[in-house]
Amino acid sequence: AHPAQYQDWIRTNTFEQKQPGYFGAYLKIRTGDLSSDKARILADFVRAFAADDLRVTVNQGLLLKYLKPGTLPYLYSILEELGFAEPGFDSTADITTCPGTDTCNLGISNSTEVARQLEGLITREFPQLIFRRDLQIKISGCMNSCGQHAMAAIGFHGSSLKAPSGTIPALQVMLAGGTLGGGKGRIAEKVIKIPSKRAPEAVRRILGDYLAGADPNEDFPAYFDRQGKDYFYRLLKPLSDLTTLESSDYIDWGRDEKYASAIGVGECAGVMIDLVATLMDEAEEKLDWSFRSIQEGVFADAIYHSYTGMICTAKALLLDREISCNTQIGILKDFDTHFSSSHFGIEGGLKDAVLSINTRPPDPEFAASYLDMARRFVEAARNWRARERTRNQVLA
């Protein structure tokens, strides 16, 4: 129905996979919100046409893989009905944000509604930026950076300001952060704090100035360095003037009542969890999925879930010894370096045992034996950790 927008979507939201004849498609999910009814419709498509696999991306989007070229128009028609057909995945118009004050008690000011306002602003006034992935905006409701604001070209985090008639919601503006490629990155620099309701004008000024003043092929961090931090401070300084506040500035985005700051227990990275125990629980869940997949006759899935359960378990034991982990193959190698797999019911090394997944077809016999090995390994790991914790308590 909208061929021009479809071509923009193809250009910005899809890519050809390494596997010949297949495409991946990114779905731009505004503020990461996906209702259950829409998720079920999308899941039906994924089961039928996208290898029954759905990934969540680091910027709150979704990734579908192994799509045949002919299914892309059909996928787009479904996305149009669901409201997820916007082009510009991971672009300036695709803003990452934590839940902020919507649900997190650590949130100081709103982050989700201001993200929606800014996305609308960019689509209307800077439509060319839906094709730019190097100029990203990210927002957090507090300084904890769950919205990744410190790694954005334009970052905001929630704050507050004392004003003549009370406290107002505010945003700390941070500029010139991001990933630079080649394993390098930079943290955004704090520039100025402004009332939250002035965030759209701040973005308008920053983007307008950059697009008008940057040299060809000069990215935003380079432009920021050339102009200097004080240049952007002076550019935004008029927006920090509290003598020109309006009554709406005392009300946060998406709210009707006057703003009042309050901090409680959050739902984000500011809350500590027992990561080792969480990984062990996740491993148990994977083995349950494996068992159910065998019952349903989906043996490839069953084997994969058993594999994931053993990876989670090995990672948990390494972390329990404060050994940092990275890739899955690295986890297996490190486990064999620091542990004797025979103590966990596996002979010949965990790496070789787990990677037997590459040497056998996904038939019922292998799925059952692989799950049995995974169960023995996870149970032995739980017993080992229980003994270690008891021994440490005695030594303490």
Side-chain angles (χ1 to χ4, degrees):
H2 305 98
Q5 186 170 337
Y6 172 70
Q7 290 303 322
D8 287 344
W9 180 82
I10 288 290
R11 177 180 169 185
T12 62
N13 292 43
T14 68
F15 63 94
E16 192 168 0
Q17 294 182 192
K18 291 186 296 184
Q19 297 81 6
Y22 290 103
F23 283 77
Y26 289 112
L27 277 55
K28 182 175 178 287
I29 309 296
R30 182 171 291 187
T31 66
D33 292 333
L34 177 63
S35 62
S36 57
D37 56 339
K38 293 182 178 181
R40 291 187 178 95
I41 295 172
L42 186 61
D44 289 339
F45 174 88
V46 170
R47 290 191 186 98
F49 299 104
D52 198 16
D53 187 83
L54 185 67
R55 303 292 176 99
V56 180
T57 64
V58 72
N59 66 331
Q60 301 175 308
L62 296 173
L63 169 61
L64 278 60
K65 299 184 296 180
Y66 292 100
L67 295 161
K68 289 287 190 178
T71 65
L72 294 176
Y74 177 50
L75 169 61
Y76 184 77
S77 68
I78 293 175
L79 297 179
E80 277 195 310
E81 294 177 8
L82 299 179
F84 299 138
E86 287 186 67
F89 174 85
D90 205 28
S91 69
T92 313
D94 189 4
I95 297 175
T96 303
T97 172
C98 74
T101 52
D102 286 355
T103 58
C104 181
N105 288 328
L106 284 178
I108 302 172
S109 63
N110 180 277
S111 52
T112 53
E113 182 58 31
V114 68
R116 298 183 188 104
Q117 295 293 327
L118 295 181
E119 286 189 355
L121 168 73
I122 293 161
T123 302
R124 292 189 307 271
E125 301 184 22
F126 304 96
Q128 71 273 32
L129 295 183
I130 69 168
F131 303 104
R132 292 280 297 268
R133 288 193 174 185
D134 63 322
L135 185 59
Q136 296 181 332
I137 302 173
K138 300 179 185 292
I139 307 172
S140 302
C142 73
M143 67 289 299
N144 279 346
S145 202
C146 295
Q148 308 163 24
H149 64 262
M151 293 299 294
I154 303 174
F156 297 98
H157 78 67
S159 188
S160 62
L161 284 168
K162 293 293 184 181
S165 300
T167 304
I168 63 169
L171 291 169
Q172 174 69 56
V173 183
M174 301 179 67
L175 299 178
T179 54
L180 306 178
K184 297 180 180 180
R186 57 187 286 170
I187 301 298
E189 293 191 42
K190 289 185 177 181
V191 175
I192 196 170
K193 190 185 294 186
I194 61 173
S196 290
K197 289 295 181 69
R198 296 177 182 177
E201 179 59 26
V203 170
R204 184 181 288 115
R205 293 189 181 198
I206 294 167
L207 293 179
D209 181 86
Y210 167 65
L211 295 174
D215 295 333
N217 301 319
E218 184 178 29
D219 62 18
F220 186 77
Y223 181 67
F224 179 88
D225 291 341
R226 177 162 67 86
Q227 297 287 30
K229 177 178 175 179
D230 186 62
Y231 174 86
F232 286 93
Y233 174 82
R234 287 184 282 109
L235 178 69
L236 301 176
K237 184 67 170 67
L239 301 181
S240 67
D241 184 1
L242 302 186
T243 65
T244 59
L245 292 174
E246 299 179 0
S247 58
S248 60
D249 289 313
Y250 289 86
I251 301 173
D252 205 357
W253 291 103
R255 300 290 185 268
D256 298 319
E257 69 280 0
K258 189 175 180 180
Y259 173 80
S261 60
I263 301 294
V265 176
E267 63 181 50
C268 67
V271 180
M272 297 299 294
I273 62 171
D274 184 343
L275 181 57
V276 174
T278 300
L279 285 168
M280 296 295 293
D281 290 341
E282 185 177 348
E284 295 280 4
E285 182 181 45
K286 300 298 184 185
L287 299 191
D288 181 58
W289 290 1
S290 178
F291 177 73
R292 284 187 285 167
S293 295
I294 289 176
Q295 289 184 314
E296 295 169 3
V298 189
F299 303 113
D301 283 7
I303 295 166
Y304 177 73
H305 294 318
S306 296
Y307 164 85
T308 307
M310 287 188 282
I311 293 291
C312 288
T313 302
K315 181 177 181 179
L317 297 188
L318 288 168
L319 290 177
D320 203 40
R321 286 194 173 181
E322 299 184 354
I323 300 168
S324 59
C325 306
N326 192 357
T327 62
Q328 293 181 359
I329 189 66
I331 290 170
L332 295 175
K333 291 178 179 178
D334 287 342
F335 187 89
D336 284 340
T337 299
H338 297 280
F339 294 92
S340 173
S341 59
S342 61
H343 294 164
F344 299 89
I346 293 178
E347 300 296 334
L350 181 67
K351 175 175 169 286
D352 290 342
V354 171
L355 293 186
S356 63
I357 189 175
N358 296 325
T359 65
R360 296 282 300 276
D363 54 34
E365 180 183 358
F366 181 60
S369 64
Y370 199 68
L371 172 59
D372 181 63
M373 177 178 68
R375 279 177 168 161
R376 286 186 278 108
F377 177 59
V378 172
E379 182 179 2
R382 280 201 179 276
N383 293 336
W384 179 88
R385 190 179 188 228
R387 291 193 300 270
E388 285 290 297
R389 290 168 67 90
T390 301
R391 185 175 68 86
N392 292 337
Q393 289 171 359
V394 171
L395 293 175

